[in-house]
Amino acid sequence: MTHIPGAAQRRASIGVRVGPYQIGGDAPVVVQSMTNTDTADVDSTTAQVKALAEAGSELVRLTVNTAEAAEAVPHIRDRLDALGCAVPLIGDFHYNGHTLLTDTPACAEALAKYRINPGNVGFREKRDRQFQTMIEVAIKYDRPVRIGVNWGSLDQDLLAGMMDENAKLPEPKDAQAMMREALIESALRSAAMAEEIGLGANRIVISCKVSQVQDLIAVYGDLADRCKYALHLGLTEAGMGSKGIVASTAAIGTLLQQGIGDTIRISLTPEPGGDRTREVIVAQEILQTMGFRAFVPMVTACPGCGRTTSTVFQGLADKIQTYVREKMPEWESHYEGVENMQLAVMGCIVNGPGESKHANIGISLPGTGEAPAAPVFIDGEKKMTLRGDGIAEEFHQIVDDYVASTYPKRSAEAR
């Protein structure tokens, strides 16, 4: 992985293969997401999985909570394959996963990975037996497992026992610290049990999800010190809109900067009528703006001020950002390295020419009182000046021409 100035060296972890991707080891951080459709509805679930994959989700998780959902999974897999969408599917199991996996072997085989929540895999004497059943299915089909502990569904027997022991100490820890410790203990005990049953450490991913930023940072800091398992990062119930984005970025960004984390998911609450793919874009942008991976050309744009003709440059910035995301699948299939391209859309002459010179392609639009001309810089040199009402379309064409003339073509075999 590329060294990022200021970032800690990536924590050593055991790599886990999920379909064509590796989580952990020396692999790049993997982006994943989750559907919110009724999995039993094959049409809507297939459509959403495809949309998430096209947005850049490398793994997609499905709720598998009923017999109907389990029976739908292989049909969803077949539909996706027929559409040329090979994204690996992860089954999210709670309460009855042991039954669904054993009663529906086609589901167990169609999934690339299983998620097990130790807090609700079973209760008391049934817990270990039902957990073992799920691990044995994973071994049978050679599937990896995420042992995903969650703040809201923590094993209450484990927590109560740890609280009792803590109360006997001369200086007991506070309740919040004990809750964090119980999350970690639940994950590590379950992982150890899975290994005892026969699942290799290279088939285990761990997560300990909470909903508060500082708790997540504390939990994963301790977890990273105590194990070498691949780690899945994400705030659970991050929230809606800017709150969910800011909280997820603060927590996950801090951990990534410390070298912690092998795969991430941004658990955004969709706004009414909102697009589920937004969580994928946010995950990509966290990784790309921090310098860990590149997915699409990045667009630098100024915030605007009293000097700028805001509606002009804001409109162009929005159009070009949308344009590069729409074009990226086509560019990616034909050219190598396009995701590293840098674009700049600036609103006046104060920083416009300077920022434009630092980008591969930059444009500085006229601000208030400036001449109605937009100089375009390519690789640091002023190449042309655009005028008139068709600036956006002309700029799109300049970007297309730059991609075609700058980036090497992929071989037919690599497409």
Side-chain angles (χ1 to χ4, degrees):
M1 190 171 184
T2 303
H3 174 67
I4 308 300
Q9 182 177 354
R10 179 84 172 272
R11 160 189 170 272
S13 62
I14 301 168
V16 178
R17 178 64 56 179
V18 183
Y21 299 103
Q22 178 174 300
I23 297 174
D26 58 358
V29 178
V30 174
V31 171
Q32 57 182 285
S33 59
M34 185 175 183
T35 59
N36 61 356
T37 56
D38 179 356
T39 305
D41 184 338
V42 174
D43 291 342
S44 64
T45 303
T46 300
Q48 191 173 82
V49 170
K50 185 172 183 289
L52 291 166
E54 288 176 346
S57 186
E58 291 158 316
L59 304 173
V60 177
R61 184 158 43 114
L62 313 173
T63 295
V64 187
N65 59 335
T66 64
E68 292 76 15
E71 290 164 2
V73 168
H75 298 294
I76 293 166
R77 178 73 274 162
D78 290 344
R79 292 270 191 94
L80 290 167
D81 291 342
L83 293 167
C85 180
V87 65
L89 300 178
I90 301 167
D92 194 60
F93 295 97
H94 299 271
Y95 307 110
N96 59 353
H98 59 292
T99 299
L100 296 176
L101 283 170
T102 52
D103 288 355
T104 320
C107 170
E109 193 166 8
L111 294 169
K113 179 167 164 265
Y114 312 148
R115 184 276 175 106
I116 303 175
N117 183 341
N120 56 32
V121 71
F123 301 99
R124 296 182 174 83
E125 69 279 356
K126 292 183 179 180
R127 179 194 179 281
D128 290 354
R129 183 171 71 251
Q130 292 174 181
F131 180 82
Q132 179 170 340
T133 297
M134 296 184 75
I135 296 300
E136 287 174 345
V137 173
I139 294 169
K140 177 180 178 179
Y141 292 102
D142 194 24
R143 297 294 189 262
V145 167
R146 171 159 71 98
I147 294 173
V149 185
N150 195 294
W151 187 265
S153 53
L154 184 58
D155 183 336
Q156 293 303 300
D157 289 338
L158 172 64
L159 178 61
M162 292 181 66
M163 287 290 194
D164 288 344
E165 290 299 316
N166 180 62
K168 298 174 185 176
L169 298 176
E171 296 183 9
K173 296 180 181 178
D174 63 42
Q176 195 82 349
M178 285 307 301
M179 182 77 81
R180 292 196 295 264
E181 179 62 24
L183 283 165
I184 296 169
E185 192 66 23
S186 176
L188 294 181
R189 287 187 188 184
S190 297
M193 186 183 302
E195 287 201 64
E196 289 172 9
I197 295 166
L199 189 68
N202 66 338
R203 308 305 268 163
I204 297 173
V205 179
I206 283 182
S207 67
C208 289
K209 289 192 173 184
V210 298
S211 56
Q212 300 299 317
V213 171
Q214 295 297 343
D215 285 319
L216 194 82
I217 294 169
V219 165
Y220 275 88
D222 287 347
L223 189 60
D225 288 340
R226 292 163 61 174
C227 75
K228 296 297 184 184
Y229 297 115
L231 299 182
H232 169 118
L233 300 186
L235 279 178
T236 187
E237 296 98 30
M240 181 181 286
S242 60
K243 184 270 178 184
I245 294 171
V246 170
S248 294
T249 303
I252 292 173
T254 298
L255 290 166
L256 291 173
Q257 191 72 6
Q258 294 174 5
I260 298 170
D262 302 297
T263 180
I264 65 174
R265 190 243 167 154
I266 309 300
S267 301
L268 292 181
T269 303
E271 295 175 352
D275 192 337
R276 189 68 167 180
T277 61
R278 191 180 189 194
E279 68 176 48
V280 179
I281 294 170
V282 172
Q284 289 182 329
E285 289 178 346
I286 289 173
L287 293 172
Q288 186 153 352
T289 56
M290 293 187 71
F292 291 110
R293 290 188 66 181
F295 299 94
V296 297
M298 293 294 286
V299 180
T300 298
C302 69
C305 67
R307 300 179 61 95
T308 56
T309 309
S310 59
T311 56
V312 178
F313 92 89
Q314 288 174 356
L316 181 58
D318 181 61
K319 285 180 181 178
I320 194 63
Q321 191 156 282
T322 300
Y323 184 74
V324 297
R325 275 208 167 268
E326 291 175 347
K327 290 285 289 188
M328 192 58 199
E330 176 188 335
W331 288 339
E332 189 175 33
S333 68
H334 289 88
Y335 304 99
E336 296 179 9
V338 184
E339 64 275 9
N340 296 304
M341 181 169 61
Q342 299 287 320
L343 305 175
V345 178
M346 306 302 292
C348 76
I349 61 172
V350 173
N351 292 317
E355 286 284 359
S356 296
K357 288 177 182 177
H358 289 303
N360 297 113
I361 311 172
I363 185 170
S364 178
L365 278 82
T368 302
E370 295 173 11
V376 175
F377 297 81
I378 298 178
D379 290 330
E381 296 184 12
K382 182 180 175 182
K383 292 293 185 180
M384 62 200 73
T385 300
L386 305 182
R387 294 180 173 84
D389 298 329
I391 287 178
E393 291 72 22
E394 291 182 63
F395 193 64
H396 290 172
Q397 188 60 53
I398 291 167
V399 173
D400 279 333
D401 292 343
Y402 183 87
V403 169
S405 63
T406 304
Y407 297 99
K409 288 187 176 180
R410 293 190 187 277
S411 64
E413 293 78 15
R415 293 181 189 177

